[in-house]
Amino acid sequence: MLQVIVASLFFGFGILLAGEKGELFGQFAESASEVSLQIMSLIISLSPIGVFCLIAPVVAENGPVILGSLAMVLAVAYMGYILHAVLVYSSTVGVLGGVSPISFFKGMMPAMMMAFSSASSVGALPLNIECSEKLGARKDIASFTLPLGATINMDGTAIYQGVCTIFIASCFGITLTLPQQLTVILTATLASIGTAGVPGSGMIMLAMVLQSVGLPVEGIALVAGVDRVFDMGRTTVNITGDAACAIIVSRMEDRKEARNAR
Ligand code: ASP
């Protein structure tokens, strides 16, 4: 995805530099994007059935005990997700974006529910664009920041990787030192940037975080059984952060334009 984004940026600059002659290509790209979003919407309307099919074998193979034994670490991860969304997004959207936190979360509900059920930032993208625009994000800004955010902005994934690394370390009887914990923060942030906006990719990138502090990669197996449940929450946080960013940048641009017009 990153390669696609970089190539798109170059094409975008090219279209601007070509002026009138580049307009047709710009319109073609816009129309192709609209068609892709419609196709994606059709596909994701089937996602609740898909989610059921993914969770059912995990519980059938391991029994409901698998959900019980990992309930604690799941609860910690979800507490992290909720604290981050409530503290960071509410305050930034309220102070910098001029949108009340209650209206923000209410307006974002359809996209958050889609992210929760599909566990895919990319899958929730069409709804995220729609919700953000309704909340005041500008079309030009939302259509750039949201696809970019769905690829590289993954706060929920970083929280998940941090929580799971500590959990896996304690399962192996290892206590992480302070420098190791700081390394986890750094590598989880980097790994989340490299994570693709599709289900399960955060768990694959968890290997990088574990290796950075010398933990065995096999530890991933401890959390793999319930990754879907982690993923639903972390994806919801990921897309909410993207929307908060789109709203804040739109508001900043509006203010800048108003200042320039004076
Ligand atoms: N499923 C997440 C997303 O799409 C990525 C991850 O697995 O952490 O945002």
Side-chain angles (χ1 to χ4, degrees), residues 62-160:
N62 304 288
V65 190
I66 182 81
L67 299 176
S69 62
L70 287 164
M72 199 64 178
V73 67
L74 272 168
V76 173
Y78 270 79
M79 258 160 56
Y81 298 156
I82 293 169
L83 276 178
H84 184 70
V86 170
L87 296 181
V88 179
Y89 300 154
S90 293
S91 54
T92 47
V93 136
V95 176
L96 302 172
V99 177
S100 91
I102 295 177
S103 325
F104 174 68
F105 286 111
K106 228 164 129 187
M108 280 300 294
M109 208 37 89
M112 288 168 79
M113 280 166 65
M114 172 49 82
F116 191 76
S117 59
S118 67
S120 165
S121 295
V122 173
L125 188 57
L127 262 179
N128 201 9
I129 293 179
E130 204 180 302
C131 293
S132 310
E133 284 179 4
K134 278 191 191 144
L135 282 166
R138 282 168 35 173
K139 195 176 167 56
D140 54 341
I141 290 173
S143 55
F144 173 71
T145 50
L146 293 178
L148 185 67
T151 319
I152 61 171
N153 180 35
M154 308 241 171
D155 304 1
T157 300
I159 293 170
Y160 150 82

Side-chain angles (χ1 to χ4, degrees), residues 119-122 150 154 157 195-203 231 234-235 238:
S120 165
S121 295
V122 173
M154 308 241 171
T157 300
T195 301
V198 293
S201 52
M203 187 181 68
D231 203 356
R234 65 184 190 246
T235 308
N238 291 345

Side-chain angles (χ1 to χ4, degrees), residues 4-254:
V4 174
I5 289 174
V6 172
S8 311
L9 281 174
F10 281 119
F11 270 104
F13 289 133
I15 291 169
L16 283 179
L17 292 173
E20 220 174 89
K21 284 188 180 156
E23 267 173 23
L24 191 62
F25 191 81
Q27 281 164 4
F28 166 76
E30 217 169 326
S31 154
S33 147
E34 203 51 50
V35 172
S36 315
L37 290 183
Q38 292 305 327
I39 295 172
M40 187 63 118
S41 302
L42 285 178
I43 294 169
I44 54 184
S45 59
L46 288 173
S47 64
I49 303 169
V51 170
F52 174 81
C53 295
L54 281 167
I55 292 186
V58 173
V59 179
E61 268 169 37
N62 304 288
V65 190
I66 182 81
L67 299 176
S69 62
L70 287 164
M72 199 64 178
V73 67
L74 272 168
V76 173
Y78 270 79
M79 258 160 56
Y81 298 156
I82 293 169
L83 276 178
H84 184 70
V86 170
L87 296 181
V88 179
Y89 300 154
S90 293
S91 54
T92 47
V93 136
V95 176
L96 302 172
V99 177
S100 91
I102 295 177
S103 325
F104 174 68
F105 286 111
K106 228 164 129 187
M108 280 300 294
M109 208 37 89
M112 288 168 79
M113 280 166 65
M114 172 49 82
F116 191 76
S117 59
S118 67
S120 165
S121 295
V122 173
L125 188 57
L127 262 179
N128 201 9
I129 293 179
E130 204 180 302
C131 293
S132 310
E133 284 179 4
K134 278 191 191 144
L135 282 166
R138 282 168 35 173
K139 195 176 167 56
D140 54 341
I141 290 173
S143 55
F144 173 71
T145 50
L146 293 178
L148 185 67
T151 319
I152 61 171
N153 180 35
M154 308 241 171
D155 304 1
T157 300
I159 293 170
Y160 150 82
Q161 288 166 342
V163 170
C164 284
T165 305
I166 305 282
F167 171 69
I168 292 166
S170 59
C171 286
F172 283 96
I174 298 165
T175 309
L176 296 178
T177 60
L178 189 63
Q180 278 178 316
Q181 289 178 25
L182 293 175
T183 309
V184 170
I185 294 175
L186 183 72
T187 46
T189 307
L190 291 175
S192 70
I193 293 172
T195 301
V198 293
S201 52
M203 187 181 68
I204 295 160
M205 296 303 281
L206 177 60
M208 178 181 143
V209 185
L210 294 179
Q211 276 172 336
S212 72
V213 285
L215 288 172
V217 175
E218 306 84 83
I220 292 180
L222 292 168
V223 286
V226 286
D227 183 63
R228 187 73 193 185
V229 189
F230 282 113
D231 203 356
M232 292 155 93
R234 65 184 190 246
T235 308
T236 309
V237 176
N238 291 345
I239 65 118
T240 311
D242 300 340
C245 186
I247 292 168
I248 292 166
V249 174
S250 300
R251 176 71 182 225
M252 284 163 78
E253 282 298 298
D254 286 346

